[in-house]
Amino acid sequence: MSMRALFGMLLAAAMTLAAGAANAHPHVWITATSELLYAADGSITGVRHAWTFDDMFSAYAVQGLESKTKGAYTSEELKPLAQTNVESLKEYAYFTFARADGKKERFQEPVDYFLDYKDTVLTLHFTLPLKNPVKPKQLVLEVFDRSFFIDFQMAKDNPVKLVGAPAGCQMKLERPNDGTASAQKLNEQTFLNGENSNFGMMFANKITVDCP
């Protein structure tokens, strides 16, 4: 099952969408942390994400999963679900967009991925290696869903870390304003088509790293 298909099933189970036209707003909430990974020569090699899903989605996702301990799941027991999730993320560019000195960079498929289950919520961990390591003066990394189906919020504490970055590099995080009210003014049709198809860009988390 793809991640988006699972989201869709959650929608039905939670009765988020009523019959007929529905307000457009996020249906899944993710609290994220990100680590930018640097090589010894100062080049950026990739990004390591940890995405914690909301409790409703987490509860639905683990339904039917077998575990030795009731109400608890090991990373091994969650391994098939983790694989399904990271494979389905490719269609959405992993909701991660990078520019090095203004040039768009691409990522390889995720590595070192796993799920953990703690305090009734799932967290997906994975690393996105850059196809080509870069050593820019400025790197801009944005995390968001173009359709605003998923609301990404960077964690309040230690949302972004620079791992192995050269001395003198400065990081800035720009969090999106809460635009849920304006999003609800759009119905599903206008939300997914036309000029609003990239509505989620308004709610991007923007990480900017400037290095000497």
Side-chain angles (χ1 to χ4, degrees):
M1 180 184 298
S2 73
M3 179 175 283
R4 186 58 65 93
L6 190 55
F7 292 159
M9 291 176 65
L10 173 65
L11 242 63
M15 300 183 69
T16 305
L17 296 181
N23 288 334
H25 53 79
H27 302 308
V28 178
W29 288 262
I30 288 176
T31 302
T33 63
S34 298
E35 296 180 340
L36 276 66
L37 309 178
Y38 289 78
D41 67 354
S43 61
I44 301 170
T45 61
V47 181
R48 184 161 52 222
H49 287 308
W51 292 351
T52 300
F53 297 95
D54 64 84
D55 52 1
M56 184 180 293
F57 174 79
S58 296
Y60 195 81
V62 298
Q63 280 187 4
L65 287 182
E66 295 184 1
S67 64
K68 291 183 179 180
T69 305
K70 184 177 180 180
Y73 303 88
T74 66
S75 292
E76 189 64 27
E77 291 167 340
L78 293 168
K79 191 173 181 179
L81 182 59
Q83 182 176 352
T84 298
N85 283 351
V86 296
E87 288 175 352
S88 67
L89 284 173
K90 184 175 182 178
E91 181 180 351
Y92 309 103
Y94 310 106
F95 302 116
T96 305
F97 309 91
R99 289 186 178 275
D101 291 333
K103 179 185 176 184
K104 183 178 180 180
E105 300 295 335
R106 298 187 181 278
F107 293 98
Q108 299 182 43
E109 294 185 358
V111 296
D112 302 331
Y113 56 83
F114 65 95
L115 277 167
D116 63 32
Y117 185 81
K118 183 179 180 181
D119 298 330
T120 72
V121 293
L122 284 169
T123 300
L124 176 65
H125 304 260
F126 64 101
T127 298
L128 284 175
L130 280 168
K131 287 192 173 181
N132 299 295
V134 291
K135 197 174 181 180
K137 291 290 186 182
Q138 183 179 82
L139 179 84
V140 176
L141 185 76
E142 293 182 294
V143 179
F144 67 99
D145 178 8
R146 294 183 186 278
S147 70
F148 201 45
F149 188 94
I150 306 166
D151 182 7
F152 285 91
Q153 294 186 7
M154 301 302 293
K156 291 182 179 180
D157 298 325
N158 301 315
V160 184
K161 293 181 181 179
L162 305 183
V163 180
C169 289
Q170 300 291 324
M171 186 275 295
K172 178 177 67 173
L173 170 62
E174 295 178 47
R175 300 174 185 269
N177 294 324
D178 181 10
T180 303
S182 60
Q184 289 178 340
K185 295 177 183 178
L186 305 173
N187 63 38
E188 289 289 335
Q189 193 63 33
T190 61
F191 195 66
L192 297 175
N193 295 301
E195 63 182 19
N196 291 314
S197 60
N198 285 329
F199 189 79
M201 293 180 69
M202 295 175 59
F203 308 101
N205 296 275
K206 184 178 180 180
I207 302 163
T208 303
V209 181
D210 292 296
C211 292

